[in-house]
Amino acid sequence: MKIRTLAVGNFAANCFILSGEENHALVIDPGDDPDQIERILRDNRLVVVAYLITHGHMDHISALAEMEQRIPAPVGIHPADAAWAFGGANQMPPWYGTPKRPGNLHRSFTDNQDWTDFGMHYRVLATPGHTPGGVCLYFPGAKVIFTGDTLFAGSVGRTDFPGGDEGALNQSLHRLAQLPDETVVFAGHGPQTTIGQEKKTNRFMRA
Ligand SMILES: [Zn+2]
Ligand SMILES: [Zn+2]
């Protein structure tokens, strides 16, 4: 599985394009810059089979409706974040505008759900705390996890936004700490790391 990382928008949110067999692709968190995302897909002749959303914050979903309109494919998101992600509550800062609702919200994520898309196998881990419906997308075969804003290299997601819950975040981090140390972490912002590295050096993961 090939992983392409693009930092999109004013918050430099990481959008990931994963590709497996026969150029089928998963797009994780199309947060902005739809032209750039579309160009990479077209230049590499990638066929989008799903859009996967780690959580509903606007810096991770602002190009979702536009992408889904240009290149239709099912969208996976946890219902606890879909409930507010496409409304006025998701508007900070105001100049970003309210993210539009895509037409095709066909995959309702639940905890421990397994999906396989053209050889790309992943498990949804519900990891609330940063948002109520935040998930991590774990690819056990490839030994990688996409953590959204739950876990960063050296840090963790804020819990002071609406719906944030510090106790829940700590439980979610505890759960991530059970994954194999060599698991490579692709976070929603900033560089990649590993579970083992974070257990050693990230004070939130040690607590
Ligand atoms: Zn966030
Ligand atoms: Zn973010």
Side-chain angles (χ1 to χ4, degrees), residues 55 59-60 149 189:
H55 69 295
D59 54 326
H60 297 260
D149 290 359
H189 301 265

Side-chain angles (χ1 to χ4, degrees), residues 52-69:
L52 311 179
I53 303 303
T54 62
H55 69 295
H57 280 150
M58 48 84 201
D59 54 326
H60 297 260
I61 64 164
S62 285
L64 175 61
E66 179 70 32
M67 287 306 307
E68 198 275 327
Q69 196 172 38

Side-chain angles (χ1 to χ4, degrees), residues 94-111:
W95 40 262
Y96 232 85
T98 300
K100 289 193 193 71
R101 176 179 287 274
N104 194 354
L105 287 177
H106 277 352
R107 292 190 179 185
S108 192
F109 283 160
T110 58
D111 193 24

Side-chain angles (χ1 to χ4, degrees), residues 172-205:
S172 295
L173 294 170
H174 182 75
R175 193 169 172 202
L176 295 181
Q178 314 307 309
L179 296 173
D181 282 354
E182 66 269 26
T183 307
V184 176
V185 174
F186 289 87
H189 301 265
Q192 68 193 64
T193 180
T194 64
I195 292 291
Q197 174 70 13
E198 294 313 299
K199 277 161 69 177
K200 262 189 278 181
T201 60
N202 184 332
R203 65 188 175 93
F204 300 98
M205 279 288 264

Side-chain angles (χ1 to χ4, degrees), residues 30-199:
D32 203 347
D33 300 342
D35 292 344
Q36 194 194 355
I37 297 171
E38 187 180 7
R39 182 166 41 76
I40 289 170
L41 292 168
R42 296 213 187 281
D43 286 354
N44 294 284
R45 294 189 170 77
L46 297 176
V47 179
V48 179
V49 292
Y51 298 97
L52 311 179
I53 303 303
T54 62
H55 69 295
H57 280 150
M58 48 84 201
D59 54 326
H60 297 260
I61 64 164
S62 285
L64 175 61
E66 179 70 32
M67 287 306 307
E68 198 275 327
Q69 196 172 38
R70 294 183 190 186
I71 306 173
V75 174
I77 186 170
H78 193 289
D81 273 18
W84 53 265
F86 308 107
N90 199 15
Q91 218 184 357
M92 60 2 170
W95 40 262
Y96 232 85
T98 300
K100 289 193 193 71
R101 176 179 287 274
N104 194 354
L105 287 177
H106 277 352
R107 292 190 179 185
S108 192
F109 283 160
T110 58
D111 193 24
N112 285 325
Q113 207 176 37
D114 285 309
W115 292 93
T116 302
D117 288 309
F118 296 91
M120 295 177 282
H121 165 68
Y122 56 98
R123 174 166 292 179
V124 175
L125 304 180
T127 50
H130 176 66
T131 62
V135 302
C136 293
L137 300 164
Y138 177 45
F139 292 69
K143 296 191 169 70
V144 298
I145 188 166
F146 297 86
T147 57
D149 290 359
T150 296
L151 174 65
F152 304 117
S155 185
V156 297
R158 293 169 58 170
T159 55
D160 58 335
F161 292 127
D165 181 332
E166 194 180 338
L169 183 73
N170 287 335
Q171 279 184 8
S172 295
L173 294 170
H174 182 75
R175 193 169 172 202
L176 295 181
Q178 314 307 309
L179 296 173
D181 282 354
E182 66 269 26
T183 307
V184 176
V185 174
F186 289 87
H189 301 265
Q192 68 193 64
T193 180
T194 64
I195 292 291
Q197 174 70 13
E198 294 313 299
K199 277 161 69 177

